[in-house]
Amino acid sequence: MTLILRRGDLEPLVDMRATIEAVDAAMGDVARGTAVQPAPALMRLPGSDSGFLPMAAASQRAGLAAVKLLADVPANAEHGLPTQRSSIVLVSTDTGEVLAVLDGAIPTRIRTAAATAVATRHLARPGSTTLGLVGAGALAVAHVTAMLEVLPIATVHFWTRSRATAHGFQKAIEQHGLKVRLLESPHAVAQSVDVLCTLTPAVEPVVHGASFVPGLHVNAVGARPRPDHREVDTEAILRSRVFVDSLPTVRQKSGDIVIPVNEGALRFDDLEGELGSVIAGLHPGRKSEDDITLFKSVGLGLQDLAIGRLLVDAALATGRGVHVDLRS
C-alpha cells in the first residue's frame, strides 16, 4: 500500500529539531559513501521559460530511494499561482515498493531552513547571537525557527521591500521573544549581524560582498536553481570561503557560482568543497574568528528523502494520510 500525504496532512507533523538532525546525517552520509546524490538535469521545452527538475537520491540509512519533481513556472505569478510546485515519491530500497507520495511544498520549505541551520552549525561562530534576513516571507519564518535550534539567537535584523510582508513576518515570529528590527537596506543588515541569510527569488544580486564584515557567515538560499540567477555578487563569493551542498549540482544550476566562473573571476576548484565533508570530519570548516564563510544552498533530493522518511514515520504513527493500492 502507498501512503498519500497532502499538504494539510504534513503541516502538523513538522518537527524542526528532528529535521535538522536528519538533514545533518544525510549530508554527512554522502561524504561517508552511504548515500547517493546524483546531479539533477533541468528539463526545458523549446520556447518555454518553465523548468522541470527531477531530484533523485538513495539512502542506506533511510532505506529509501526517492525523487522529487520540481516544476519551476515563473509565468504562474501573473495568474496568482505558485511559481514552484513539487511532489515527492519514496520507494523502499528493499522491495522497490512505492511507500509514499507527498506534496512537496512543506518538505521543501522545512528542508531548506534545516539545511541552512546545519551549515550554520558547522560554519558560523558558535556564540553568534544576531541573525540577518534579506527577505521576509514564509521561508524567513522557517529560518528563524531553525536557527534557534543551533545558535543562541537573541536579535533578528531583516529587510524586505514590502511593509505588509514585514508586518506579517514580525507577527509570525513574535512568540520567540526576539528583538526584531526592520532595516533600510540589505547592506545595513549585512553590516550588523553575525549570520546572514539571503532568501529572495532574485535574478540580479541584492547582497554585495563589499557589505561583508570579518567573522560573518552567509547562507545564500533564495535564488532559483538556474545558472543565470543569483542573489550575491562576485565580490561576495571571492571574499568568502565557499561551501556548497553538492558540487555537481552547483556546477549546473547555481548562478551565484556559475556567473563568477564564467566571468573568469573564480574556478570551481577554488570552492572549499561540500558541506557533507565538513560534517563527516573530512574537511575543515571555519578556521578563525575572522573567516567569512558562505554556504551556497541549491537543495538536494537527499534532503527531501531524509525529511520524507521523518514525515512518513510520523504520519503512520498518528494515522494521517490515505493508503492507496497502486496495483489495483
Side-chain angles (χ1 to χ4, degrees), residues 3 5 9 13 309-321 323:
L3 179 63
L5 291 170
D9 298 318
L13 303 177
R309 174 85 273 174
L310 283 180
L311 292 171
V312 167
D313 289 348
L316 291 172
T318 57
R320 293 185 180 274
H323 292 272

Side-chain angles (χ1 to χ4, degrees), residues 126-300:
S128 297
T129 60
T130 305
L131 172 65
L133 304 171
V134 176
L139 192 55
V141 175
H143 270 67
V144 171
T145 303
M147 288 298 193
L148 289 170
E149 297 290 345
V150 298
L151 285 176
I153 298 298
T155 302
V156 175
H157 292 171
F158 76 102
W159 172 85
T160 179
R161 291 187 175 92
S162 166
R163 289 284 173 176
T165 300
H167 177 72
F169 171 72
Q170 289 172 307
K171 290 289 291 181
I173 67 167
E174 64 184 4
Q175 75 272 18
H176 296 303
L178 303 168
K179 181 180 179 181
V180 182
R181 292 181 61 199
L182 172 63
L183 301 189
E184 67 275 13
S185 66
H187 171 77
V189 174
Q191 289 267 294
S192 64
V193 299
D194 301 311
V195 176
L196 174 68
C197 302
T198 65
L199 306 170
T200 73
V203 176
E204 299 293 336
V206 292
V207 170
H208 299 270
S211 303
F212 291 179
V213 297
L216 180 67
H217 171 65
V218 182
N219 299 292
V221 177
R224 281 190 172 90
R226 299 191 173 201
D228 56 347
H229 289 200
R230 61 174 173 171
E231 287 185 290
V232 301
D233 70 353
T234 296
E235 185 176 357
I237 298 298
L238 297 180
R239 291 194 62 199
S240 306
R241 295 181 58 231
V242 179
F243 298 82
V244 302
D245 46 14
S246 167
L247 286 166
T249 304
V250 161
R251 286 174 176 265
Q252 291 189 19
K253 62 173 189 166
S254 171
D256 289 296
I257 305 300
V258 171
I259 292 172
V261 170
N262 289 343
E263 291 172 345
L266 180 78
R267 300 172 303 161
F268 287 116
D269 288 345
D270 294 329
L271 304 176
E272 290 289 330
E274 295 184 350
L275 180 63
S277 293
V278 177
I279 295 168
L282 304 176
H283 189 88
R286 174 171 291 274
K287 293 180 179 179
S288 75
E289 285 285 303
D290 288 338
D291 270 356
I292 298 172
T293 53
L294 186 148
F295 173 61
K296 175 54 202 170
S297 175
V298 288
L300 303 179

Side-chain angles (χ1 to χ4, degrees), residues 57-77:
S59 167
Q60 186 179 77
R61 180 191 298 270
L64 294 174
V67 62
K68 179 171 79 173
L69 181 60
L70 172 65
D72 181 30
V73 187
N76 274 358

